[in-house]
């Protein structure tokens, strides 16, 4: 690795099998620096929204989706969504809107396109990071359009980038077990490949810690690396630990990944993905203390900060978001790094030296 050679499949398996976690972290941190990484650690102010949780797919790991008849099912109109987002913007200065949804079979493509156009008109300076590859594919089945046609229309309406969800684990064996209704990996790649060629950057993920083997994790990461070699459009990689709560896996006694698993995955990702600039330690999921350690295991981004706020905060109270930023800044500094607030495309907005 120090000699600049690419790690291969067997190297990847060996990294995951090692018990020497500290050495792995050190190697990952060295790799990050050798590829131009500095002491900067990024975060973005983003708001998470979802317009509908109605979904036809029924992935077994999902605790979010509902059928239309279930009492907790919801589908917001474009107007309701824009109103909600504008209310949040009054109290939190987010620069990115992160929206993913269920694959709702009861809407049409205009629902998505008009939503993007309305959000863009209402918040022209906010980056719209919306719709996973699975949702883009869903729009092609709703409309009869191609991936390229759907992405062009959304881009022209104001879409800025795609989040990385829907990747799960690419191996067919795993997809058949955890998400049998979801399209094969080739579709995920085709959507991202098309987006990159249209100038739409995207993100990539891996959902780990369920039925997959180490070999299947390595296969997943190598497929992402090959795609990045072809098009270079991935902004960041986000390893997502599987959370069994409220899924069939919880009833089967499954447990969370351990902190050591999560650190290993970050280091492994940094070492294998030598062509993706940013690796995220998703602090909302791992908690800040572990995310701070992750900064020494190859991660250079701790993801978003915005929490939903009530309007009374506007009257002068310190918002929960501001408190989160202060907490985040403190943790990053205590880890010996420089906190940098960024926009979605990694342009610097503010730094704390
Ligand atoms: S497609 Fe997404 S929302 Fe639907 S069941 Fe699967 S993970 Fe849940």
């Amino acid at each position: 690795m120090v000699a600049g050679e690419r790690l291969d499949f067997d190297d990847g398996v060996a990294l995951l099998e090692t018990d020497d976690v500290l050495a792995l972290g050190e190697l990952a941190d060295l790799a990050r620096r050798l590829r131009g990484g500095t002491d900067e650690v990024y975060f973005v102010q983003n708001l998470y929204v979802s317009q509908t949780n109605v979904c036809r797919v029924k992935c077994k790991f999902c605790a979010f989706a509902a059928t239309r008849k279930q009492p907790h099912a919801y589908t917001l109109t474009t107007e309701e969504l824009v109103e909600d987002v504008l209310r949040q913007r009054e109290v939190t200065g987010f620069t990115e809107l992160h929206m993913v949804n269920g694959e709702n079979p009861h809407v049409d493509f205009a629902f998505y396109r008009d939503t993007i156009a309305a959000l863009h008109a209402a918040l022209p300076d906010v980056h719209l990071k919306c719709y996973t590859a699975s949702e883009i594919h869903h729009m092609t089945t709703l409309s009869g359009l191609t991936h390229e046609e759907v992405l062009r229309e959304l881009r022209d309406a104001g879409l800025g980038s795609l989040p990385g969800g829907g990747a799960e684990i690419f191996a067919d064996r795993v997809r058949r077990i955890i998400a049998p209704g979801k399209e094969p990996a080739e579709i995920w790649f085709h959507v991202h490949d098309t987006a990159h060629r249209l100038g739409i950057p995207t993100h990539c993920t891996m959902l780990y810690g369920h039925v997959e083997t180490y070999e299947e994790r390595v296969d997943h990461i190598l497929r992402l690396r090959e795609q990045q070699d072809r098009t270079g459009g991935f902004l960041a990689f986000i390893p997502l630990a599987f959370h069994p709560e409220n899924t069939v896996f919880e009833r089967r006694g499954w447990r969370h990944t351990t902190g050591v698993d999560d650190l290993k995955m970050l280091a492994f990702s940094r070492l294998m993905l030598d062509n993706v600039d940013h690796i995220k330690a998703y602090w909302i999921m791992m908690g800040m203390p572990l995310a701070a350690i992750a900064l020494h295991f190859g991660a250079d981004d701790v993801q978003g900060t915005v929490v939903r706020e009530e309007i009374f905060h506007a009257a002068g109270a310190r918002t929960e978001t501001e408190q989160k930023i202060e907490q985040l800044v403190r943790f990053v500094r205590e880890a010996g790094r420089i906190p940098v607030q960024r926009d979605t495309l990694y342009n610097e907005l503010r730094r704390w030296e």
Side-chain angles (χ1 to χ4, degrees):
M1 192 270 303
V2 178
E5 278 172 34
R6 277 201 139 171
L7 300 178
D8 64 13
F9 187 91
D10 292 338
D11 296 326
V13 175
L15 292 176
L16 289 171
E17 282 177 343
T18 183
D19 289 327
D20 195 347
V21 184
L22 293 180
L24 192 60
E26 212 170 309
L27 269 181
D29 198 49
L30 178 63
R32 186 182 65 75
R33 288 186 187 281
L34 285 175
R35 294 178 202 138
T38 62
D39 280 342
E40 290 164 356
V41 171
Y42 298 95
F43 70 91
V44 65
Q45 273 197 274
N46 60 0
L47 181 71
Y48 283 77
V49 292
S50 181
Q51 193 172 7
T52 177
N53 66 347
V54 175
C55 188
R56 55 164 199 93
V57 184
K58 301 187 177 58
C59 301
K60 290 193 180 147
F61 57 80
C62 181
F64 163 77
T67 59
R68 188 161 55 162
K69 295 211 173 89
Q70 285 181 297
H72 63 293
Y74 64 83
T75 302
L76 303 180
T77 63
T78 296
E79 294 70 31
E80 287 168 333
L81 180 75
V82 170
E83 197 185 312
D84 175 48
V85 167
L86 281 175
R87 208 177 311 122
Q88 287 302 312
R89 192 83 202 292
E90 279 178 39
V91 271
T92 55
F94 57 87
T95 62
E96 171 183 297
L97 188 76
H98 180 122
M99 177 164 68
V100 296
N101 302 294
E103 294 187 24
N104 188 332
H106 311 291
V107 298
D108 57 14
F109 178 51
F111 170 85
Y112 296 100
R113 190 193 48 222
D114 295 351
T115 293
I116 292 293
L119 285 169
H120 185 56
L123 299 156
D125 53 341
V126 168
H127 181 104
L128 302 178
K129 176 183 172 187
C130 307
Y131 307 136
T132 63
S134 312
E135 290 178 83
I136 299 293
H137 186 63
H138 177 57
M139 292 175 210
T140 65
T141 56
L142 290 173
S143 63
L145 299 172
T146 63
H147 289 153
E148 180 170 340
E149 288 164 340
V150 162
L151 285 164
R152 267 186 200 282
E153 286 210 33
L154 293 175
R155 181 196 64 186
D156 294 347
L159 180 77
S161 65
L162 299 185
E168 325 311 359
I169 290 280
F170 292 132
D172 286 341
R173 183 194 75 85
V174 177
R175 288 180 108 70
R176 275 199 300 274
I177 297 171
I178 65 165
K182 206 163 242 182
E183 65 287 340
E186 290 67 31
I187 302 269
W188 189 95
F189 278 106
H190 190 259
V191 170
H192 283 263
D193 188 274
T194 308
H196 295 175
R197 292 179 199 280
L198 290 172
I200 305 169
T202 72
H203 302 77
C204 52
T205 60
M206 180 197 302
L207 182 74
Y208 68 95
H210 42 88
V211 302
E212 86 287 1
T213 62
Y214 281 172
E215 286 76 5
E216 285 159 342
R217 287 189 198 180
V218 178
D219 168 69
H220 185 103
I221 215 96
L222 289 179
R223 290 205 220 183
L224 290 175
R225 190 169 80 182
E226 284 161 21
Q227 179 63 51
Q228 184 73 337
D229 279 345
R230 281 193 291 275
T231 50
F234 291 132
L235 291 169
F237 173 71
I238 310 111
L240 298 169
F242 173 63
H243 284 236
E245 297 95 338
N246 304 319
T247 72
V248 292
F249 297 107
E250 183 181 35
R251 295 194 283 284
R252 294 180 196 175
W254 288 49
R255 295 283 169 269
H256 281 275
T257 56
T258 64
V260 169
D261 292 335
D262 297 338
L263 292 175
K264 258 176 131 176
M265 265 307 292
L266 282 163
F268 158 79
S269 313
R270 174 59 81 183
L271 287 162
M272 298 299 291
L273 274 182
D274 53 18
N275 52 2
V276 174
D277 287 343
H278 304 289
I279 307 282
K280 291 187 189 180
Y282 196 6
W283 78 280
I284 293 165
M285 272 174 151
M286 20 168 81
M288 203 58 228
L290 189 61
I293 300 171
L295 300 179
H296 298 278
F297 278 72
D300 70 334
D301 191 312
V302 283
Q303 182 68 354
T305 53
V306 168
V307 288
R308 295 190 79 83
E309 309 275 7
E310 297 303 329
I311 213 84
F312 60 78
H313 279 306
R318 251 176 7 137
T319 67
E320 218 180 311
T321 298
E322 286 162 17
Q323 290 173 35
K324 289 266 187 257
I325 291 179
E326 281 168 25
Q327 192 191 357
L328 197 63
V329 163
R330 187 165 54 82
F331 268 108
V332 171
R333 285 178 134 169
E334 280 172 6
R337 299 287 161 87
I338 302 166
V340 174
Q341 186 183 338
R342 62 170 175 86
D343 66 10
T344 307
L345 304 176
Y346 285 86
N347 297 305
E348 178 179 323
L349 301 178
R350 186 178 171 195
R351 69 165 47 219
W352 288 259
E353 286 289 359

